[in-house]
Amino acid sequence: MPQTAASVTLVHRTPGGRVRLRVPALRGRPERAATVEARLSDAPGVRAATARAASGSVILHLDARARGGGLSDAEVVDAVEAALAAPPEARPAATRAPEAGPAWHALAVGETLARVAGDATEGLSDEEAATRRARHGANRLPTAAQRSQGALVAEQFKSLPVAMLLGSAAVSVATGGVADAAATIAVVLVNAALGYVTEGQAEASIGKLMDSSDEAVTVVRAGTPREIAARELVPGDLITVRAGRVMAADARVLAAGRLRVDESALTGETQPVEKRADAEVAPEAPLGGRPTMLHSGTLVAEGEGRAVVVATGAETVAARIAQVSESAARPRAPVEAELDRMGGLLAKLAFGACGVFLGVGWMRGMSLAAMLKDALALAVAAVPEGLPVVATTTMSLGLRRMERRGVLVRRVDTVESLGALQILCLDKTGTLTRNRLEVVETVAGPHPDDPEVAGARAMLMEAAALNNAAEPGAAGAEGSSATERALLERARAEGVEVADLRAARPMAEMHERRPERPYMVTLHEGEGPRVVVKGAPETVLEQCAALWDGTPLDEGLRARILAANDRLAARPARVLAFAAGDTAPEDGVPRDMRWLGLMAMVDPIRPGARDFIRAMHRAGVRTIMITGDQSATAEAIARDLDLAQGGPLRIVDSPEIASMDPELLGGVAARAHVFSRVSATQKLAVVQALQRSGAVVGMTGDGVNDGPALKAADVGIAMGASGTDLARDVANVVIRDDELETLVEAVAQGRAVYRNIRRALEFLIATNLSEILVGLVEAAHGPGELESPMELLWINLVSDVAPGLGLALADPDPDAMTRPPRAADEAVIPPEHFRRMSIDAGTIAAASLVSHFVGLARFGPGPETRGMTFLSLSLGQLAYALTCQRSDPAHLRVRRLLDNPNLNGALIASGGLAVLPYFVPALRRLLKIAPLDAGAMTVGLAGAAAPAGIVLARRGVTLRPETVEVRPCETS
């Protein structure tokens, strides 16, 4: 028997802890419903609460794990009574919109008009509007400051490796090596041009997605309605709104007819919000609980109305949320920091080598000019000219590959950040779901398993088409609200010929839904039921006396219908009931209706979202859903997507976040799967808390309320097709077609970029270290033996850049998306790799020095000896590149050495350039080498081939007719 109190009736309770109560005091009072919902959501033993002003009901989801099995029926009723009796109270401050100026939503219509000096019938005069526009400026949302062309160019020169190259060029000029400086500067300019062009194209592609159109709005000026550009709106303007229009400013509602607005872009709430002019709203009401306001960026879902503009441009709520985005700062990309760290290490190495050489020269009594010249040669050897070019080119080409797949990336270093992603925060509405309603289940009659329901189902579908303000279109239902379109599309899918049906049963009269009457009534001509009703199930059921076939509705049948409604609502879903009859309504209230059935609608999960989540989990990326929706809705979506991977689902609700200090929030965020009912500032707080734990964090979103979190995340990912301009403006990644599957490819590409950069860096550093060792030995052995700066620069350009690029452009590893992401603090080259690289560098240097000392014995210090050393060192480094490819950890077939066509082409081209000076006299003079006879050439080539063979042998290579068994470079 229902538990009853003075104003609250407990109607139904499920074993799972879902309780439905009838609360007549809430009917038609959305502001009071919002307050009751907020209080109950914070009540002990309550996981989630929903208060519905339309039907005067409250739905509670109790915590069944609480001691004693949760609240008793009497305790539930007492809790609701207490929430009703308590005075209005604001939600926690963190859930409110950033405030500025008057609380327009709390002011009466007359006071609002007085404050903005507006007129509810005539509007503003043209002269007054012009004066206010001069005072307030154009009605435009501020956009994030974009990088200028000059800034884009300047950023290409900010990395430490580039600074080292520029320093090397300056020293070359100071010591008379103009040609050396010119070659170095050329490398820097090529690197800068590549980065500038790539990032500039990405900015342009994202810019094309931005909404540059200026929407038209209907405004009343001097008593005459007219269409003007949205940028011309000023405070005090009288505007009319209708379904399908996007609000261009913040406005106070003056009159509303069935006016409902989709505010998901600001609040994340899926369901449209009813708007009323006469609602009483507390000044502290949260953004989602302001039925008197229309906010910029929201969409009018259905109905029409009039409103007075109270804020434009930077004064709107959307603009203030954007200002929060401006205060957020994005961390540096992991690879950017690592490359600077590596550059610093190389700089120390270069200075150390030069210091050793200067000390040796000083003890030998060398002149300062000679010491500086030779020290420059060592500095050139220490700086890998290919480092910035390889890193930039690898990420740039990765960016271009992503763009071809529909993923637009603003900065080249973001490509690698995608691969380093450890936690991905996902907005629900519009990202994981489609931000549209779809009928997912229908119940014809009292229960879907009842016999003889075919007739009821046909009548239910016809009712959905008749009692409907949407129109059939070629691509689907058009106009009206998302609810009406979803119902009409379902009727069409069930075979209803809407146009023919409406022609045979034209609508003669319509009674709109009202707060005190949560259903819509239509009267029709022609054969069939004269009256069709659609609305809140409990209320429609009260108007019914029988089933569709005339069977009287007894208490048992009514209980079965309510149970079916509770089951559908628990999905959770928006449930509407349908009934038909022949008795004309009195004052819009139907009588003696026949029950047809229920239709349940949800915002469906995007196609591919489940596969996307599974792919992220396989890749070791943790997923967290952050939404403005209610806990029950969020929980249903999270379970459907299996965010907890089969474990217990941990949900954190907005009031809990508001009371947490940052350190505690970080600990909670590390274990949570879902954050519900969160505001824009709370989304930002969650992302920053995760970042403080050392994680690389991504954030996806499409709304204004996602902007701050998108800006702060290491990787901010906006939806390109459905996203707002603000979301695309602050994100550094934009998915052009909103397809999440493309993001999986982007993460895989990012991981490939990192691993390939690592291989290329290991090759570059090992080879440059070999040059330093050769230079130090030559300097210590005797004067005049050191290689010339131009010779070393040529070796670097020939043996560094192209082979490094070849290694960096290898295809992604097959297991790229089945391995966990690398640790955020993992060095791009771990210490154990440095030890191996040092041994490899020593091997290359030793072979080249053998060639050098053979040359000294034959020719003495001079061009011939330098020519032999040059040949061994340059070709030896090229051969070494083949040993640095990643391959199967157990076996490497001989043909796999040549599996990378990019590397093969690079080695052929570089080999040609390495031997070119021996055939071009001008180059020989520039490099200060001489032609080699057959004997010298043989020694030089032997010195080039030996290192690769020794490296492979040292790693346990066993040559066989078809395979080479190897433990390859540890680069993963």
Side-chain angles (χ1 to χ4, degrees), residues 21 70 90 119 226 265 284 321 342 438 533 537 603 648 676 681 865-866:
L21 304 101
D119 190 295
R226 67 183 73 169
E284 306 86 357
I321 293 177
M342 189 62 58
E438 182 178 292
V533 179
D603 179 10
S676 61
T681 52
T865 299
R866 278 196 295 272

Side-chain angles (χ1 to χ4, degrees), residues 430-444:
T431 302
L432 291 173
T433 63
R434 301 175 67 181
N435 198 17
R436 51 166 292 182
L437 288 178
E438 182 178 292
V439 176
V440 292
E441 188 172 347
T442 60
V443 177

Side-chain angles (χ1 to χ4, degrees), residues 45 68 150-151 155 160 179 275 300 340 345 377 433 523 528 539 551 647 657 707 761 777 800 833 838 858 883 913:
E155 285 185 12
L160 188 54
K275 297 298 179 179
V300 180
D340 276 359
L345 185 62
T433 63
L523 279 69
T539 309
T551 303
I657 303 174
L761 287 181
V777 172
D800 278 7
H833 288 207
S838 299
R858 287 192 59 190
T883 72
L913 290 173

